[in-house]
Amino acid sequence: MSENAKPILAVRGLDVRFETNDGPVQAVNGIDLDIMPGETVAVVGESGSGKSQTMMAIMGLLASNGRATGSAKYRDQELIGLGEKRLNRVRGAKMTMIFQEPMTSLDPLYRIGRQIAEPLVHHAGMGRSAARKRCIELLRLVGLPEPERRIDSFPHELSGGQRQRVMIAMALANDPDILIADEPTTALDVTIQAQILELLADLQKRLGMAIVFITHDLGVVRRFAERVYVMKLGDVVEEGRTAAIFDDPTHDYTRMLIKAEPSGSKPPVEESSPVLLEGKDVVVGFRQENAGWFSGSSEFRAVDGISLRLRRKQTIGVVGESGSGKSTLGRALLRLVHGRGTVRYGDRDISSLDKRGMRPLRKELQIVFQDPFGSLSPRMTVGQVITEGLLVHEPDLSRRERDKRAIDGLKDVGLDPAMRNRYPHEFSGGQRQRIAIARAVILKPKVMVLDEPTSALDRSVQKQIVELLRRLQEEHDLSYVFISHDLAVVRAMSDYILVMKDGKVVEEGVAERIFDHPEKEYTQALVQAAMDTDPITVSAAR
């Protein structure tokens, strides 16, 4: 690329602010950035730094209380203030965006094939038959198994990682000039993450598209991006070539980001520690229709005969690729999905309890979901969200007492209590996840299933959350089932590991042995993928 080449996207003096109940909040402070044709640029920073809101403003996707000023030109066409009809000619066709939380971006009422086909029909004028064929090709490209069958699935029938791959397929449908990827690998396990990054690099070479990569994962940035913008509290504090940023950062904040990493390990609990939650031969199956006149139906086993024992103050880490059954196992242990086998909480068999029977136990058995935005009501303030469970489980508390508990809960997860009068959409993905953790912790449970609780968080906040969860575990004798694809976080949190593949446990043992001396080939591949730091070749078109 010539040094005198013209940017495909030029941003000057971009300013973003939101009107809230507590007054105006400044999210982006008059920043400049350029995206050249065919290059990969990463925008990094902690949650709340303004990186996602920058791109949402450029795409005209700010919330109703948000306002953007300044300039953002795509091929000399001003996007800030552009009318909806003209803006739609650009976004979805020339500029597309992969969002951080796929479940909130996919319509739960429509099959994924129909949703991927929509931009093909709208922007490319394809017929339904051609669009369906292209959808299958795209699903195969992004690594979704059995695309001919999965194309007719609903979003809730896919794992979090699989839903993110559907979003990537949708964004790539019309071969865009610019792909804005907002944490596109956050929900993916390490092996699929590597495949997706390789896929994006390959498509970039073939199509010559530019990629704007918004992420908190500096390992991904180092492998994938050519240039980096570092953002803090709405400002760009450092910008440059990736190698220079990592090898010789000039700003203290950049140095802090590079060094941030969850660390330490958890010693195993004593064998004499009482068992709080036990599953024996747990099976979760889903009926699926077979092809053919006389084939009938069969059962797909998402969880296939798994047993575990969770002791007091123990953390069992559950790892495996997307679709391995990790999240389904966690829900089955809490009786949130129907399963066979035996589940015991303390000395009580809860296997056959219905919703009413489980209700008194919900305070003691809590879950933090993978997608925080999908689990937080957009119509409730953060204070109301956090204290909602108290209305059910501690109804005698006064409003003032609930408000004090909300203040304490927000402090526990590192958020300003003054934020409790704001709404979820006014927070970054990482902040929303901390709100979801506060909602669970406020009830002082004994067992928590943590389903990817740090996946939306930048590394520095991950470290804080790991330390928070450790402290809460020590102070309140908490036991965790910690589900994650991030092996660095799992290693820092867990004393025992289950490795899952296709609904089964393929290897289990104390964490130190699993990470340092994995026995099974599958476990070895997971650990190796997490350690891989080799750069991906990008932007060969230049």
Side-chain angles (χ1 to χ4, degrees), residues 491-534:
R491 184 165 196 167
M493 277 293 301
S494 308
D495 54 88
Y496 195 87
I497 303 291
L498 297 183
V499 182
M500 289 187 64
K501 184 177 190 296
D502 298 330
K504 296 179 179 291
V505 171
V506 298
E507 187 167 0
E508 64 178 293
V510 296
E512 184 178 6
R513 200 276 297 170
I514 292 290
F515 282 102
D516 293 341
H517 304 288
E519 296 176 356
K520 303 297 184 181
E521 185 176 339
Y522 178 72
T523 310
Q524 293 167 1
L526 287 179
V527 174
Q528 182 58 45
M531 295 171 59
D532 188 10
T533 58
D534 292 336

Side-chain angles (χ1 to χ4, degrees), residues 18-188:
F18 293 90
E19 296 298 329
T20 76
N21 291 339
D22 297 323
V25 173
Q26 194 74 23
V28 180
N29 304 317
I31 69 168
D32 300 341
L33 61 84
D34 289 320
I35 309 298
M36 307 302 290
E39 76 168 340
T40 301
V41 175
V43 183
V44 304
E46 293 179 292
S47 301
S49 63
K51 54 188 188 296
S52 293
Q53 295 303 333
T54 295
M55 295 304 154
M56 296 288 273
I58 291 170
M59 294 285 284
L61 297 174
L62 290 175
S64 59
N65 65 330
R67 183 169 181 266
T69 57
S71 175
K73 291 186 177 180
Y74 164 73
R75 296 191 182 277
D76 293 328
Q77 181 177 20
E78 181 61 66
L79 301 179
I80 304 299
L82 192 65
E84 194 79 6
K85 187 174 182 180
R86 295 177 63 191
L87 190 57
N88 282 337
R89 296 173 188 166
V90 176
R91 62 185 182 191
K94 303 300 183 183
M95 294 176 60
T96 59
M97 191 166 182
I98 304 168
F99 294 98
Q100 183 175 350
E101 291 141 344
M103 196 56 177
T104 60
S105 303
L106 295 171
D107 193 318
L109 301 179
Y110 294 102
R111 301 179 193 274
I112 62 170
R114 177 173 176 178
Q115 297 187 59
I116 298 172
E118 188 172 343
L120 293 168
V121 173
H122 180 75
H123 293 289
M126 281 191 182
R128 292 291 174 183
S129 177
R132 182 178 176 87
K133 183 178 179 181
R134 174 64 172 156
C135 289
I136 292 173
E137 292 174 355
L138 289 165
L139 291 176
R140 186 174 288 114
L141 272 175
V142 298
L144 197 71
E146 302 179 271
E148 292 84 359
R149 180 173 69 86
R150 288 295 194 181
I151 192 173
D152 293 318
S153 298
F154 290 96
H156 73 270
E157 297 176 308
L158 306 179
S159 70
Q162 290 170 335
R163 288 193 291 264
Q164 189 63 285
R165 279 177 273 175
V166 170
M167 288 297 302
I168 293 170
M170 193 182 306
L172 297 176
N174 286 302
D175 299 334
D177 278 342
I178 302 175
L179 174 65
I180 300 171
D182 188 355
E183 302 281 5
T185 59
T186 290
L188 305 182

Side-chain angles (χ1 to χ4, degrees), residues 282-324:
V282 177
V283 174
V284 179
F286 298 98
R287 180 181 174 184
Q288 58 183 9
E289 298 299 326
N290 297 324
W293 285 97
F294 304 106
S295 298
S297 62
S298 62
E299 182 184 60
F300 165 72
R301 289 193 171 186
V303 175
D304 194 359
I306 292 180
S307 299
L308 62 80
R309 284 183 166 188
L310 179 67
R311 299 180 183 276
R312 191 181 71 178
K313 296 180 71 171
Q314 184 179 37
T315 301
I316 296 179
V318 184
V319 302
E321 294 180 298
S322 300
S324 63

Side-chain angles (χ1 to χ4, degrees), residues 145-249:
E146 302 179 271
E148 292 84 359
R149 180 173 69 86
R150 288 295 194 181
I151 192 173
D152 293 318
S153 298
F154 290 96
H156 73 270
E157 297 176 308
L158 306 179
S159 70
Q162 290 170 335
R163 288 193 291 264
Q164 189 63 285
R165 279 177 273 175
V166 170
M167 288 297 302
I168 293 170
M170 193 182 306
L172 297 176
N174 286 302
D175 299 334
D177 278 342
I178 302 175
L179 174 65
I180 300 171
D182 188 355
E183 302 281 5
T185 59
T186 290
L188 305 182
D189 57 82
V190 289
T191 54
I192 301 300
Q193 179 186 86
Q195 293 174 21
I196 293 299
L197 294 177
E198 294 284 358
L199 169 66
L200 292 174
D202 178 68
L203 289 167
Q204 184 179 44
K205 293 175 191 176
R206 182 155 56 87
L207 304 175
M209 66 180 177
I211 297 178
V212 181
F213 209 88
I214 305 168
T215 185
H216 64 262
D217 190 333
L218 297 187
V220 169
V221 172
R222 190 162 200 164
R223 294 185 65 208
F224 191 62
E226 299 163 274
R227 284 196 304 118
V228 180
Y229 288 89
V230 181
M231 291 190 67
K232 179 185 180 184
L233 299 177
D235 292 308
V236 172
V237 298
E238 189 163 358
E239 180 266 330
R241 307 294 297 181
T242 303
I245 292 290
F246 277 88
D247 295 341
D248 189 24

Side-chain angles (χ1 to χ4, degrees), residues 326-393:
K326 307 186 298 294
S327 296
T328 305
L329 172 63
R331 286 160 171 76
L333 293 172
L334 297 191
R335 299 289 300 151
L336 293 172
V337 297
H338 177 71
R340 303 193 294 276
T342 303
V343 179
R344 298 185 67 86
Y345 173 56
D347 59 0
R348 184 174 181 180
D349 187 339
I350 63 172
S351 307
S352 60
L353 293 183
D354 57 15
K355 288 183 178 180
R356 176 176 291 183
M358 284 297 301
R359 190 171 297 150
L361 301 178
R362 291 296 178 206
K363 180 180 179 181
E364 300 177 19
L365 301 170
Q366 282 290 300
I367 186 168
V368 175
F369 293 100
Q370 179 177 351
D371 180 355
F373 198 54
S375 65
L376 302 179
S377 173
R379 297 179 178 86
M380 298 170 69
T381 67
V382 165
Q384 291 170 331
V385 166
I386 291 174
T387 59
E388 185 178 17
L390 296 176
L391 295 173
V392 176
H393 297 290

Side-chain angles (χ1 to χ4, degrees), residues 109 179 198 218 221 253 271 273 276 437 442:
L109 301 179
L179 174 65
E198 294 284 358
L218 297 187
V221 172
Y253 179 71
E271 286 292 325
S273 182
L276 283 186
I437 292 172
I442 200 173

